[in-house]
Every structure is written in C-alpha cells, then in structure tokens.
Coordinates of all heavy atoms in Angstrom, one line a residue:
G1 N 80.3 113.0 89.6 CA 79.0 113.7 89.4 C 78.9 115.1 89.9 O 77.8 115.7 89.8
L2 N 80.0 115.6 90.4 CA 79.9 117.0 91.0 C 81.2 117.8 90.6 O 82.3 117.3 90.8 CB 79.8 116.9 92.5 CG 79.6 118.2 93.2 CD1 78.2 118.8 92.8 CD2 79.6 118.0 94.7
D3 N 81.0 118.9 89.9 CA 82.1 119.7 89.5 C 82.8 120.4 90.6 O 82.1 120.7 91.7 CB 81.6 120.8 88.4 CG 81.2 120.2 87.1 OD1 81.7 119.1 86.8 OD2 80.4 120.8 86.4
G4 N 84.0 120.8 90.5 CA 84.7 121.6 91.5 C 85.1 120.8 92.7 O 85.4 121.5 93.8
V5 N 85.2 119.5 92.6 CA 85.7 118.7 93.8 C 86.9 117.9 93.3 O 86.9 117.3 92.2 CB 84.6 117.8 94.3 CG1 85.0 117.1 95.6 CG2 83.3 118.5 94.5
T6 N 87.8 117.8 94.2 CA 89.0 116.9 93.9 C 89.4 116.2 95.2 O 89.1 116.6 96.3 CB 90.2 117.8 93.3 OG1 91.2 116.9 92.9 CG2 90.8 118.7 94.4
V7 N 90.1 115.1 95.0 CA 90.6 114.3 96.1 C 92.1 114.5 96.2 O 92.8 114.5 95.2 CB 90.3 112.8 95.9 CG1 91.0 112.0 97.0 CG2 88.9 112.5 95.8
S8 N 92.5 114.9 97.4 CA 94.0 115.0 97.6 C 94.6 113.6 97.6 O 94.2 112.8 98.4 CB 94.2 115.7 98.9 OG 95.6 115.9 99.2
I9 N 95.6 113.4 96.8 CA 96.2 112.1 96.7 C 97.3 112.0 97.8 O 98.2 112.8 97.9 CB 96.9 111.9 95.3 CG1 95.8 112.1 94.2 CG2 97.6 110.6 95.2 CD1 96.4 112.1 92.8
S10 N 97.1 111.0 98.6 CA 98.0 110.8 99.8 C 99.2 110.0 99.4 O 99.2 109.3 98.4 CB 97.2 110.0 100.9 OG 96.1 110.7 101.3
H11 N 100.2 110.1 100.2 CA 101.4 109.3 100.1 C 101.3 108.1 101.0 O 100.7 108.3 102.1 CB 102.7 110.1 100.5 CG 103.1 111.1 99.5 ND1 102.3 112.3 99.3 CD2 104.2 111.2 98.7 CE1 103.0 113.0 98.3 NE2 104.1 112.4 98.0
T12 N 101.7 107.0 100.6 CA 101.6 105.8 101.4 C 102.8 104.8 101.2 O 103.4 104.8 100.1 CB 100.3 105.0 101.2 OG1 100.2 103.9 102.1 CG2 100.2 104.5 99.8
T13 N 103.1 104.1 102.2 CA 104.2 103.1 102.1 C 103.6 101.7 101.9 O 104.4 100.7 101.8 CB 105.0 103.1 103.4 OG1 104.2 102.8 104.5 CG2 105.7 104.4 103.7
R14 N 102.3 101.6 101.8 CA 101.7 100.2 101.6 C 101.9 99.8 100.2 O 102.2 100.6 99.3 CB 100.3 100.2 102.0 CG 99.3 100.8 101.1 CD 97.9 100.2 101.3 NE 96.8 100.9 100.6 CZ 96.5 100.7 99.3 NH1 97.3 100.0 98.6 NH2 95.5 101.3 98.8
Q15 N 101.8 98.5 100.0 CA 101.9 97.9 98.6 C 100.7 98.3 97.7 O 99.6 98.5 98.2 CB 102.0 96.4 98.7 CG 103.3 95.9 99.4 CD 104.5 96.3 98.6 OE1 104.7 96.1 97.4 NE2 105.5 97.0 99.3
M16 N 101.0 98.5 96.5 CA 99.9 98.8 95.5 C 99.0 97.6 95.3 O 99.5 96.5 95.2 CB 100.6 99.2 94.2 CG 99.7 99.9 93.2 SD 100.5 100.2 91.6 CE 101.8 101.3 92.1
R17 N 97.7 97.9 95.4 CA 96.7 96.8 95.2 C 96.4 96.7 93.7 O 96.7 97.6 92.9 CB 95.4 97.1 95.9 CG 95.6 97.0 97.4 CD 94.3 97.5 98.1 NE 94.5 97.5 99.6 CZ 93.7 98.2 100.4 NH1 92.7 98.9 99.9 NH2 93.9 98.1 101.7
P18 N 95.9 95.5 93.2 CA 95.5 95.3 91.8 C 94.6 96.4 91.3 O 93.6 96.8 92.0 CB 94.8 94.0 91.8 CG 95.4 93.2 93.0 CD 95.6 94.3 94.1
G19 N 95.0 97.0 90.2 CA 94.1 98.1 89.6 C 94.5 99.5 90.0 O 94.0 100.4 89.4
E20 N 95.3 99.6 91.1 CA 95.7 100.9 91.5 C 96.8 101.5 90.6 O 97.6 100.8 90.0 CB 96.1 100.9 93.0 CG 95.0 100.7 93.9 CD 95.4 100.7 95.4 OE1 96.6 100.4 95.7 OE2 94.6 101.1 96.2
V21 N 96.8 102.8 90.6 CA 97.8 103.5 89.7 C 98.6 104.6 90.6 O 97.9 105.4 91.3 CB 97.1 104.3 88.6 CG1 98.1 105.0 87.7 CG2 96.3 103.3 87.7
H22 N 99.9 104.5 90.5 CA 100.7 105.5 91.2 C 100.4 106.9 90.7 O 100.4 107.2 89.5 CB 102.2 105.2 91.0 CG 103.1 106.2 91.6 ND1 103.4 106.2 93.0 CD2 103.8 107.2 91.1 CE1 104.2 107.2 93.2 NE2 104.5 107.8 92.1
G23 N 100.2 107.9 91.6 CA 99.9 109.2 91.2 C 98.4 109.5 91.0 O 98.0 110.6 90.8
K24 N 97.6 108.4 91.0 CA 96.1 108.6 90.8 C 95.4 108.1 92.1 O 94.6 108.8 92.6 CB 95.7 107.7 89.6 CG 94.2 107.8 89.4 CD 93.7 107.0 88.2 CE 92.2 107.0 88.0 NZ 91.8 106.2 86.9
D25 N 95.7 106.9 92.5 CA 95.1 106.4 93.8 C 95.9 106.9 95.0 O 95.4 107.3 96.0 CB 95.0 104.9 93.8 CG 94.1 104.4 92.6 OD1 92.9 104.6 92.7 OD2 94.7 103.9 91.6
Y26 N 97.2 106.7 94.9 CA 98.2 107.1 96.0 C 99.5 107.4 95.3 O 99.8 107.0 94.2 CB 98.4 106.0 97.0 CG 97.3 105.8 98.0 CD1 96.3 104.8 97.8 CD2 97.2 106.5 99.2 CE1 95.3 104.5 98.7 CE2 96.2 106.3 100.1 CZ 95.2 105.3 99.8 OH 94.2 105.1 100.7
Y27 N 100.4 108.1 96.1 CA 101.8 108.2 95.7 C 102.4 107.1 96.5 O 102.5 107.2 97.8 CB 102.4 109.5 96.0 CG 101.8 110.7 95.2 CD1 101.1 111.7 95.8 CD2 102.1 110.7 93.8 CE1 100.5 112.7 95.0 CE2 101.6 111.8 93.1 CZ 100.8 112.8 93.6 OH 100.3 113.8 92.9
F28 N 102.8 106.0 95.9 CA 103.4 104.9 96.6 C 104.9 105.1 96.8 O 105.7 105.2 95.8 CB 103.2 103.6 95.8 CG 101.7 103.2 95.7 CD1 101.0 103.6 94.6 CD2 101.1 102.5 96.8 CE1 99.6 103.3 94.6 CE2 99.7 102.2 96.7 CZ 99.0 102.6 95.6
V29 N 105.3 105.2 98.0 CA 106.7 105.6 98.3 C 107.3 104.6 99.3 O 106.6 103.9 100.0 CB 106.9 107.0 98.9 CG1 106.4 108.0 97.9 CG2 106.1 107.2 100.2
S30 N 108.6 104.6 99.4 CA 109.3 103.7 100.4 C 109.2 104.3 101.8 O 108.9 105.5 101.9 CB 110.7 103.5 100.0 OG 111.4 104.7 100.1
V31 N 109.5 103.5 102.8 CA 109.5 104.1 104.2 C 110.5 105.2 104.3 O 110.3 106.2 104.9 CB 109.8 102.9 105.2 CG1 109.9 103.5 106.6 CG2 108.6 101.9 105.2
A32 N 111.7 104.9 103.6 CA 112.8 106.0 103.7 C 112.3 107.3 103.1 O 112.6 108.4 103.6 CB 114.0 105.4 103.0
E33 N 111.6 107.2 101.9 CA 111.1 108.4 101.3 C 110.1 109.1 102.2 O 110.1 110.4 102.3 CB 110.5 108.1 99.9 CG 111.5 107.7 98.9 CD 110.8 107.2 97.6 OE1 110.0 106.2 97.6 OE2 110.9 107.9 96.5
F34 N 109.2 108.3 102.8 CA 108.2 108.9 103.6 C 108.8 109.6 104.8 O 108.4 110.8 105.1 CB 107.2 107.8 104.1 CG 106.0 108.3 104.7 CD1 104.8 108.5 104.0 CD2 105.9 108.7 106.1 CE1 103.7 108.9 104.5 CE2 104.8 109.2 106.7 CZ 103.6 109.3 105.9
K35 N 109.8 109.0 105.4 CA 110.4 109.6 106.6 C 111.2 110.9 106.2 O 111.3 111.8 107.0 CB 111.3 108.6 107.3 CG 110.6 107.5 108.0 CD 111.5 106.5 108.8 CE 110.6 105.5 109.6 NZ 111.5 104.6 110.3
A36 N 111.8 110.9 105.0 CA 112.4 112.1 104.5 C 111.5 113.3 104.4 O 111.8 114.4 104.7 CB 113.1 111.8 103.2
M37 N 110.3 113.0 103.9 CA 109.2 114.0 103.8 C 108.8 114.5 105.2 O 108.5 115.7 105.4 CB 108.0 113.5 103.0 CG 108.3 113.2 101.5 SD 106.9 112.7 100.6 CE 105.9 114.2 100.6
L38 N 108.7 113.5 106.1 CA 108.4 113.9 107.5 C 109.4 114.9 108.1 O 109.0 115.9 108.7 CB 108.3 112.7 108.4 CG 107.0 111.9 108.5 CD1 107.2 110.7 109.4 CD2 105.9 112.8 109.0
E39 N 110.7 114.6 107.8 CA 111.7 115.5 108.3 C 111.6 116.9 107.7 O 112.0 117.9 108.3 CB 113.1 114.9 108.0 CG 113.4 113.6 108.9 CD 114.7 113.0 108.5 OE1 115.5 113.6 107.7 OE2 115.0 111.9 109.1
R40 N 111.2 117.0 106.5 CA 111.0 118.3 105.8 C 109.7 119.0 106.2 O 109.4 120.0 105.7 CB 111.0 118.1 104.3 CG 112.3 117.5 103.7 CD 112.4 117.8 102.2 NE 111.2 117.3 101.5 CZ 111.2 116.0 100.9 NH1 112.2 115.2 101.1 NH2 110.1 115.7 100.3
Q41 N 108.9 118.3 107.0 CA 107.6 118.8 107.5 C 106.7 119.1 106.3 O 106.0 120.1 106.2 CB 107.8 120.1 108.3 CG 108.5 119.8 109.6 CD 108.6 121.0 110.5 OE1 108.6 122.2 110.0 NE2 108.6 120.8 111.8
A42 N 106.7 118.1 105.3 CA 106.0 118.3 104.1 C 104.5 117.9 104.2 O 103.7 118.1 103.3 CB 106.6 117.5 103.0
F43 N 104.2 117.2 105.3 CA 102.8 116.7 105.5 C 101.9 117.6 106.3 O 102.3 118.1 107.3 CB 102.9 115.3 106.1 CG 103.5 114.2 105.2 CD1 104.6 113.5 105.6 CD2 102.9 114.0 104.0 CE1 105.1 112.5 104.8 CE2 103.5 113.0 103.2 CZ 104.6 112.3 103.6
L44 N 100.7 117.7 105.8 CA 99.6 118.4 106.6 C 99.2 117.5 107.8 O 98.9 118.0 108.9 CB 98.5 118.7 105.7 CG 97.3 119.6 106.2 CD1 97.9 121.0 106.6 CD2 96.3 119.8 105.1

C-alpha cells in the first residue's frame, strides 16, 4: 500500500516453510555458504 518501500531479503540457513519462495522471502543457503559469506564480510 505504499510506494517507494522495499524489504531487504535476508539470507538464512533455516528450512523453507510451506509457501515460501527462495529469493522472495529469504535466500535459503547452507551453513557452509553462510559461513563463506561471513568470511568475505558480505553481511551488514
């Protein structure tokens, strides 16, 4: 209902829940992938 607003899609290692979509609700990644991003200091 409001223009000019967006949600930043987070990365998570949890399992996808029914109805959720990768890249829309979350970026669902493995623990190894998440830790690799941590090492690259990719997270705010």
Side-chain angles (χ1 to χ4, degrees):
L2 189 62
D3 291 335
V5 188
T6 188
V7 177
S8 178
I9 302 171
S10 299
H11 289 68
T12 183
T13 59
R14 78 158 169 77
Q15 293 298 306
M16 194 182 301
R17 292 173 182 162
E20 289 184 328
V21 178
H22 176 76
K24 180 181 178 183
D25 298 288
Y26 285 96
Y27 293 113
F28 296 95
V29 298
S30 67
V31 174
E33 288 175 297
F34 193 94
K35 288 184 175 179
M37 292 183 71
L38 271 180
E39 290 178 4
R40 299 198 303 271
Q41 298 184 328
F43 291 122
L44 190 59

